[in-house]
Amino acid sequence: MGTNYEKIAAAIDFVSQNARQQPELNAIAAAVNTSPFHFQRLFTEWAGVSPKKFLQYLTVEHAKELLANKQHTVFDTAYQTGLSGTGRLHDLFVNIEGMTPGEYRNGGENLVIQYSIQQCRFGWYIVAATGKGICNLSFFESPSATAIAALKSHWPNASVRAGENGHQQKAIDFFKDNGGHAGDLKLHLRATAFQLKIWQALLQIPLGDVVSYGSIAQHVSQPAAARAVGTAIGSNPVGYIIPCHRVIKSMGEAGGYRWGGTRKKAMLAWEASRHVVALPVR
């Protein structure tokens, strides 16, 4: 899965850099040192659709169409269609619990945090959890001590150790099921009240949809705080599950992403290609 993602990421980069030339399958395959036949099969297995169809979802024009659909706001639609607010393929429920003020201030003192290194269709990731829920999920390029060091720096006073608990296993199962059913996911986050408010808003963006940074600011009744909203989105500690990748620039460009612009494009296009009507909530 990880190797496949690296090939897909390289293909996305190539197409993004050569979008005006509209490269054909042979050119894309050659750019990633793969035969056209093998690349077509690998890509279809990863994305569920052909490279040509998938690449349509990468365009700025497609993003603009999503942003221009003002018949219903995506936040209203999430509830009108019976979604739990997460916009997943199935009935995934996410519950966020903030740290106590004391835990927030002391950097996790007296907390035990377990972490493990995993792979999913979007590459390598590290997932960490306390006894109450997932506290970090970060993507990285290849296994190294850097990811572990970054986790420990975020929790300077916690006891951070390798291992898995039930919360992590639910996240791992979620990715193994292609972003499908994983039951109730609980998050235990070190954040300000404002950050939690923004992250809860992100959970209301349905799969296959996108919103602008300004839309998030308006949704939380902070239209003049676009910069603060952007900072809160960028500091999201739980990749993909809190879908900050679904927030893009108002002109349709993907914009930056904490774990790489190419990965963000891959997530958005994969979700668009997998977009189905979600099952009703329980």
Side-chain angles (χ1 to χ4, degrees):
M1 188 70 75
T3 300
N4 288 356
Y5 171 71
E6 291 169 1
K7 290 280 188 182
I8 301 303
I12 290 173
D13 279 340
F14 175 78
V15 172
S16 297
Q17 293 168 12
N18 298 274
R20 291 186 177 182
Q21 287 73 38
Q22 290 292 298
E24 297 291 336
L25 175 65
N26 288 354
I28 301 172
V32 296
N33 299 313
T34 306
S35 71
F37 173 79
H38 180 69
F39 178 74
Q40 174 89 11
R41 185 176 64 180
L42 180 151
F43 199 103
T44 303
E45 288 177 354
W46 186 90
V49 295
S50 69
K52 182 177 181 180
K53 185 68 176 178
F54 183 86
L55 295 174
Q56 291 176 0
Y57 298 125
L58 287 175
T59 64
V60 171
E61 286 71 24
H62 173 72
K64 285 181 178 179
E65 288 177 6
L66 292 176
L67 290 175
N69 184 6
K70 301 298 184 182
Q71 185 175 2
H72 298 289
T73 70
V74 294
F75 303 109
D76 291 338
T77 303
Y79 294 106
Q80 291 170 0
T81 57
L83 298 178
S84 63
T86 63
R88 296 289 178 249
L89 289 175
H90 301 301
D91 53 338
L92 174 67
F93 291 74
V94 178
N95 178 58
I96 296 180
E97 178 180 341
M99 298 283 174
T100 66
E103 289 171 330
Y104 179 85
R105 287 193 302 269
N106 64 28
E109 187 176 351
N110 300 323
L111 279 179
V112 175
I113 296 174
Q114 293 177 288
Y115 71 85
S116 62
I117 304 294
Q118 305 290 335
Q119 279 183 291
C120 69
R121 72 173 53 254
F122 303 117
W124 291 96
Y125 68 96
I126 182 170
V127 57
T130 69
K132 291 184 178 181
I134 298 166
C135 58
N136 283 90
L137 195 158
S138 299
F139 294 92
F140 55 94
E141 298 309 315
S142 60
S144 71
T146 303
I148 299 171
L151 173 66
K152 291 181 176 179
S153 68
H154 188 73
W155 302 96
N157 299 319
S159 176
V160 181
R161 62 186 69 163
E164 291 180 13
N165 61 27
H167 299 297
Q168 289 164 276
Q169 191 57 54
K170 285 187 177 182
I172 295 168
D173 292 343
F174 169 73
F175 282 120
K176 286 182 178 178
D177 195 28
N178 289 334
H181 179 74
D184 295 351
L185 276 175
K186 295 183 179 180
L187 309 183
H188 190 206
L189 306 180
R190 184 185 179 201
T192 64
F194 180 75
Q195 287 174 321
L196 290 176
K197 188 176 183 179
I198 298 302
W199 300 340
Q200 286 167 342
L202 298 179
L203 288 170
Q204 296 175 31
I205 308 172
L207 180 143
D209 225 324
V210 296
V211 301
S212 67
Y213 290 91
S215 294
I216 294 289
Q218 291 179 355
H219 179 68
V220 299
S221 302
Q222 299 281 349
R227 185 181 297 274
V229 168
T231 300
I233 292 171
S235 62
N236 167 32
V238 181
Y240 195 82
I241 291 174
I242 297 179
C244 58
H245 61 281
R246 295 179 190 160
V247 185
I248 66 174
K249 293 183 177 181
S250 59
M251 296 303 293
E253 298 174 355
Y257 187 54
R258 183 174 180 177
W259 298 289
T262 297
R263 184 173 279 108
K264 181 175 184 176
K265 292 177 183 177
M267 290 175 173
L268 289 173
W270 182 81
E271 288 185 343
S273 70
R274 301 282 294 183
H275 191 198
V276 296
V277 177
L279 296 176
V281 298
R282 294 191 293 268

